[in-house]
């Protein structure tokens, strides 16, 4: 049987937009259950009027906020 701890790794594959699945190693947009890492040399942007969530966040590269974007933990 497998166990579920409620947390999944999601690391940036490339510079990109937070809400595009191609930006992330998990192949989907991170959620409140994800441990998110923005990799060194990557810049991830949160678009205007976008709210997003995560479980934990490690920024090794850059995170850019647009107007009225919200990052929730």
């Amino acid at each position: 049987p497998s166990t579920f701890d409620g947390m999944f790794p999601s690391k940036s594959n490339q510079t990109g937009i937070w809400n595009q699945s191609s930006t992330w190693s998990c192949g989907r947009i991170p959620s409140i259950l994800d441990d998110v890492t923005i990799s060194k040399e990557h810049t991830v942007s949160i678009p205007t009027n976008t709210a997003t969530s995560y479980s934990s966040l490690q920024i090794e590269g850059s995170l850019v906020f647009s107007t009225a974007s919200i990052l929730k933990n």
Side-chain angles (χ1 to χ4, degrees), residues 1-71:
S2 61
T3 59
F4 175 73
D5 66 7
M7 308 226 186
F8 303 97
S10 186
K11 190 170 185 175
S12 64
N13 284 328
Q14 61 189 18
T15 291
I17 298 172
W18 183 286
N19 58 349
Q20 286 185 331
S21 58
S22 61
T23 301
W24 304 105
S25 61
C26 59
R28 60 176 171 73
I29 300 165
S31 75
I32 191 71
L33 299 176
D34 291 313
D35 293 323
V36 176
T37 301
I38 298 175
S39 301
K40 188 177 181 178
E41 300 181 14
H42 292 169
T43 298
V44 175
S45 301
I46 300 176
T48 300
N49 297 321
T50 299
T52 189
S53 301
Y54 61 92
S55 177
S56 69
L57 177 63
Q58 180 174 342
I59 303 171
E60 297 171 358
S62 299
L63 179 62
V64 177
F65 293 86
S66 298
T67 305
S69 58
I70 300 170
L71 187 63

